[in-house]
Structure formats: C-alpha cells, structure tokens
C-alpha cells in the first residue's frame, strides 16, 4: 500500500501491545490538523465512530452517510473515508485492530465479525441504546494502567460489535435466506483484495486455493449468490470507485494502478458494470461531495 493514491493512516498506537485507542470527537478535532481527517484517507485498521449529539455528513468509500444522534459508523481496514468537519458534533472515535476482538483462530464469530465490517458501514440506533457502551469503554480506557482493564475493554468492544453490527448483518443475511460466510469464501475474498490488480481470472484464484473453478464458483454462489468472476469484478469496481472518488490522480494513472494495460480498458470495464464512464462517476462524486 506504500504507493497508494489515497493517503494511508497507520494505527495510532497508544500502547505497544494493545491494539485499541479511543478519543472523544472534541479531543480528536483539537489534536489533529483539520486536513488530516477532512481529506480522503485510507485506514490500515478498523474504526467505530459513535455520534451522540449533532448532525452532519460522513463519507465512506463512495457513500454519503447523513449522521445524527445514535449513528454508528463502521470503517473496515483499507476502506477510504473522510470527515465533513462540524465542531458541534459530539461522540467517540475508536480505532482498533480487529485481532483484539477474537479468541484465537477457532473463534466461532471471527468470520461473522469480519464479514459484517465488510458489508455494513453505518447504522442508526436509538441514541440511548449505545451510549452506555461508549461511556464504559471511555472510563476503562482512561485507566489502562489498571489490572484487567485491557480484558474489560476487549469484552466490552466485542459485545458492542456483536450487539449492533453483527446482529444487523445477521438479520440482513436471514432476510436474504443466506447463511454465514464459510471459511473458504473468506479466504477467497481475502485473496481478491490482495491480488485483484494482478489477475481477475477465476482460474488463478482457484489455483491459489487448490480448487477447481467449478468448486470455487460453487463456494461463491453458496455464500453470496454471485459467481466467482462477479465477485472479483465487484471488488475491482469498488477499488476503482474509491480511487476515482478520493484521489486526484488522472484516470490514466488509476487505470495502470489497477492493472489495466490501457485507460480505455478501464473505461470499458467501468461502464460495463456501472453504466457510467470513470469521468462521469468522478464528476458525480464531486457534485455530491460539494452539495
């Protein structure tokens, strides 16, 4: 990610062996230069933002979220986002690495939590239903030197994620008659995120996983209802939209960055999947971002 066209932010580590931090919105606004959070940036960790007071907008990938009291924003690793500065906003920001949520590799909720972070970026809850969790996390975070505090934070954060994000995600899966994502699907999805620039052929991914293309297609359809190729192209489209919406680079440079040999190939690919040219999509993002 060192050559990423979107500015990257590393985890703001407060303690060498604990992958969790927490800020009030007021503290966050006063401690960082405004451009660092109002300009588009990509996270190399996860983050949860809770709004307790105020209204405004927040941008995650190419989506606009209209925030209000009770809004929960979930930003997963590698997603791009930016703040729409409003000093009247109150709440909390929690950056963390998701490994602190899990109890080892065999944790039965590991794939559910990661999948939920991938699929849902914001939900609106009753403002009183989540405030308690954040207030407790804040109290514990200010006392990190105390014994057992890290474990209390770990359990409180896990409970918060399960109660809000994972429960909402599960409800969405149930309504679509889908099951929880399998380990093979999660592995495939992870490979797509790290290799889509180099290859978008299903055969290559099947080879990486030691499977036939038929079996990989079956895994993809059982978990998402889409073919393996559709999933690969879908992620390539998502990253294309991120770079078009959040970077100032020429479309020709973005095309090369994404593995297209010619800018016209990106244009054909993008229009096939969205009905818009890259330039039209970028102009649309600029329009909505300035409104």
């Amino acid at each position: 990610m060192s050559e990423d066209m979107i500015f990257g932010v590393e985890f703001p580590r407060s303690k060498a062996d604990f992958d969790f931090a927490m800020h009030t919105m007021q503290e966050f606004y006063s401690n960082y230069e405004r451009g660092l959070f109002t300009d588009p940036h990509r996270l190399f960790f996860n983050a949860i933002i809770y709004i307790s007071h105020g209204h405004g907008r927040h941008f995650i990938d190419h989506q606009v979220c209209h925030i209000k009291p009770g809004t929960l924003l979930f930003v997963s690793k590698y997603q791009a986002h930016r703040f729409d500065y409003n000093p009247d906003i109150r709440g909390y920001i929690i950056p963390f690495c998701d490994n602190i949520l899990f109890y080892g590799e065999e944790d039965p909720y590991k794939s559910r939590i990661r999948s939920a972070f991938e699929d849902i970026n914001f939900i609106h809850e009753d403002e009183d239903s989540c405030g308690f969790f954040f207030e407790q996390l804040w109290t514990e975070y200010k006392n990190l030197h105390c014994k057992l505090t890290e474990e209390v934070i770990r359990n409180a954060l896990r409970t918060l994620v399960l109660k809000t994000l994972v429960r909402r995600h599960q409800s969405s899966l149930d309504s679509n008659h889908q099951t929880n994502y399998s380990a093979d699907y999660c592995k495939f999805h992870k490979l797509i995120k790290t290799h889509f620039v180099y290859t978008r052929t299903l055969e290559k991914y099947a080879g990486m996983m030691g499977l036939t293309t038929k079996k990989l297609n079956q895994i993809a359809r059982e978990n998402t209802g889409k073919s393996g190729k559709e999933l690969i192209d879908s992620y390539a489209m998502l990253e294309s939209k991120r770079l078009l919406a959040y970077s100032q680079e020429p479309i020709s440079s973005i095309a090369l960055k994404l593995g297209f040999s010619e800018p016209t190939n990106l244009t054909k690919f993008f229009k096939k999947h969205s009905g818009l040219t890259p330039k039209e999509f970028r102009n649309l993002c600029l329009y909505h971002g300035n409104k």
Side-chain angles (χ1 to χ4, degrees), residues 40-284:
H41 53 282
R42 189 193 300 270
L43 300 186
F44 295 150
F45 50 89
N46 289 24
I48 299 174
I49 303 171
Y50 171 66
I51 307 301
S52 59
H53 298 87
H55 295 75
R57 299 183 304 173
H58 197 93
F59 299 82
I60 302 178
D61 285 340
H62 54 283
Q63 302 178 85
V64 182
C65 174
H66 294 276
I67 59 179
K68 60 184 181 180
T71 296
L72 281 163
L73 301 166
F74 300 92
V75 189
S76 65
K77 187 176 181 180
Y78 301 139
Q79 282 194 300
H81 79 134
R82 72 176 179 87
F83 290 77
D84 206 4
Y85 178 69
N86 180 352
D88 296 326
I89 293 289
R90 296 290 184 269
Y92 296 96
I93 300 176
I94 299 176
F96 66 99
C97 298
D98 66 3
N99 60 288
I100 74 165
L101 292 174
F102 309 132
Y103 295 110
E105 289 299 319
E106 302 304 317
D107 187 327
Y109 290 98
K110 188 172 186 177
S111 65
R112 296 190 190 189
I113 292 172
R114 284 186 167 162
S115 298
F117 260 98
E118 292 279 350
D119 292 347
I120 297 177
N121 289 133
F122 50 84
I123 59 178
H124 301 291
E125 296 277 347
D126 184 311
E127 56 260 45
D128 294 325
S129 65
C130 293
F132 169 79
F133 287 98
F134 287 90
E135 290 167 7
Q136 291 299 307
L137 283 165
W138 182 242
T139 299
E140 294 296 334
Y141 183 65
K142 289 187 293 184
N143 293 283
L144 268 179
H145 60 281
C146 298
K147 292 182 178 179
L148 298 179
T149 296
E150 291 182 13
E151 194 62 24
V152 171
I153 287 175
R154 182 193 308 275
N155 281 282
L157 182 63
R158 179 180 168 99
T159 300
L160 171 67
V161 170
L162 290 173
K163 173 182 169 61
T164 58
L165 180 66
V166 177
R167 182 173 284 173
R168 179 67 60 87
H169 188 245
Q170 186 66 55
S171 176
S172 174
L173 292 177
D174 290 343
S175 66
N176 291 315
H177 306 291
Q178 294 180 24
T179 58
N180 291 303
Y181 297 136
S182 69
D184 281 335
Y185 167 76
C186 292
K187 182 179 179 180
F188 179 36
H189 187 57
K190 185 176 181 180
L191 285 172
I192 292 173
K193 289 196 291 184
T194 54
H195 291 80
F196 78 96
V197 169
Y198 311 107
T199 179
R200 289 189 295 277
T201 64
L202 188 63
E203 291 78 9
K204 293 285 187 180
Y205 290 95
M208 292 179 210
M209 295 181 66
L211 301 172
T212 64
T213 56
K214 181 179 179 180
K215 179 62 177 177
L216 189 51
N217 259 325
Q218 180 185 341
I219 291 168
R221 291 195 182 280
E222 286 177 351
N223 283 270
T224 68
K226 298 180 180 179
S227 70
K229 177 61 174 169
E230 286 174 328
L231 293 177
I232 297 166
D233 287 349
S234 177
Y235 191 80
M237 275 296 296
L238 174 58
E239 190 61 22
S240 300
K241 289 179 177 179
R242 286 171 176 165
L243 295 181
L244 289 166
Y246 286 142
S247 82
Q248 303 301 314
E249 295 294 323
I251 292 173
S252 58
S253 298
I254 292 174
L256 292 175
K257 170 71 177 178
L258 295 174
F260 293 92
S261 58
E262 297 288 341
T264 53
N265 292 337
L266 171 60
T267 299
K268 291 175 184 176
F269 174 82
F270 199 91
K271 189 159 187 176
K272 174 185 176 182
H273 291 282
S274 70
L276 299 171
T277 66
K279 183 178 180 179
E280 288 169 341
F281 176 79
R282 172 173 271 180
N283 288 340
L284 190 62

Side-chain angles (χ1 to χ4, degrees), residues 19-36:
D19 296 331
F20 177 96
M22 191 169 186
H23 313 277
T24 64
M25 292 296 296
Q26 302 98 304
E27 178 186 71
F28 180 78
Y29 282 153
S30 64
N31 287 352
Y32 294 91
E33 293 183 18
R34 188 179 301 183
L36 291 178

